[in-house]
Amino acid sequence: MFQVRIHGRGGQGVVTGAEMMSIAAFLGGKHAQAFPSFGSERTGAPVVAFCRMDDKEIRLREPIMQPDAIIIQDPTLLHQVDVFGGLKKDGFILINTTRSFEEMGLGDFVKGFRPERLLTVPASELAMKHVGRPVPNVPLLGAFAALGGLISLDAVQKAIDQKFKGAVAKGNQAAAKDAYTIVMEQEKKAQEAQHA
C-alpha cells in the first residue's frame, strides 16, 4: 500500500486534490481512498487530506501517520505544523515552492533522504498562469504523477475532466502537464548527479 498525506490551507483545494488523486489511481486500476481531516474549517487554516492506493482492497480507515509521500501545498506550514511527522527516509517530499530545500531551511533535515525524491514545483504560479487562480492542488497532482509512476499523467488528465469542465478543465490539464514535466526534469538531474 502507498500512502500520501497532503498538507495545505483551507481554500487551496487540499481535499479536492486528494479526491482527484484517488480517482486517478482508480482509473489506473488500483484500489484507492481519499479523506480529509479537519480542525476548524476556515479559509487559511491548516488542512490535511489523505490518499491511499493499493492493488487490493483497502480496509484501513484511520489517518495516515507513516506516509510514503508528503505533498505540501503551502510552504508557510513548514515551520508551523509537523508536516514531516512519520515520514520514512525513503519517502517522497513534494513542496509547492520556487525555493530549494536549503533555501527553506530544510538542508539538514533532508540529509539521508534520496535526492531524486525531494522535489519542488512552482504549483501556485502554474495554476495562476493556466487557470487564473493560485490554487496549487492540480499542478501538484501532475507533479505527483511523475513520482515513481503510481498514477499516470493520462489518469490525472481524465480525473481533471471528471472534476472540472470547459476552460477550467483545459487550464488545469495544462498546469498538471507543466508540473509533470518539471518533476521529470528534476528527477533526471538528481539521478545524473548521483551517477556522476
Side-chain angles (χ1 to χ4, degrees):
M1 184 182 318
F2 194 91
Q3 305 189 98
V4 183
R5 196 167 67 213
I6 305 171
H7 291 271
R9 293 189 182 278
Q12 290 184 325
V14 175
V15 176
T16 303
E19 279 172 16
M20 289 172 64
M21 183 181 288
S22 72
I23 292 167
F26 179 75
L27 291 171
K30 291 193 182 326
H31 290 270
Q33 66 170 213
F35 55 99
S37 168
F38 290 113
S40 52
E41 296 178 36
R42 62 184 197 280
T43 301
V47 176
V48 181
F50 310 97
C51 181
R52 288 189 174 98
M53 296 167 239
D54 205 342
D55 293 327
K56 54 187 186 296
E57 198 177 329
I58 300 168
R59 298 194 190 285
L60 282 175
R61 286 283 177 261
E62 65 266 13
I64 294 169
M65 304 315 278
Q66 294 186 306
D68 299 293
I70 288 182
I71 298 174
I72 300 164
Q73 293 200 170
D74 189 327
T76 63
L77 291 168
L78 290 171
H79 307 291
Q80 197 179 3
V81 180
D82 182 18
V83 292
F84 301 114
L87 181 67
K88 303 163 192 121
K89 284 287 186 193
D90 65 344
F92 293 91
I93 301 174
L94 176 61
I95 304 177
N96 168 25
T97 183
T98 54
R99 296 158 62 209
S100 71
F101 279 79
E102 286 73 25
E103 288 168 335
M104 290 183 284
L106 296 172
D108 287 340
F109 173 76
V110 297
K111 278 190 176 90
F113 278 86
R114 290 170 53 180
E116 75 277 10
R117 293 187 172 189
L118 304 173
L119 302 152
T120 60
V121 173
S124 294
E125 288 83 347
L126 291 172
M128 197 70 206
K129 174 182 162 190
H130 292 290
V131 188
R133 290 178 58 224
V135 181
N137 60 348
V138 174
L140 286 166
L141 195 56
F144 180 78
L147 296 179
L150 282 150
I151 57 174
S152 69
L153 181 60
D154 185 52
V156 168
Q157 301 288 27
K158 287 178 180 151
I160 291 167
D161 264 340
Q162 286 189 19
K163 204 81 184 160
F164 303 105
K165 298 287 170 245
V168 176
K170 293 233 181 317
N172 273 308
Q173 286 171 331
K177 188 170 192 285
D178 276 4
Y180 178 88
T181 305
I182 288 168
V183 168
M184 291 303 272
E185 285 167 7
Q186 280 185 36
E187 285 185 320
K188 194 174 158 200
K189 278 184 193 144
Q191 283 166 346
E192 283 168 1
Q194 255 181 336
H195 295 302

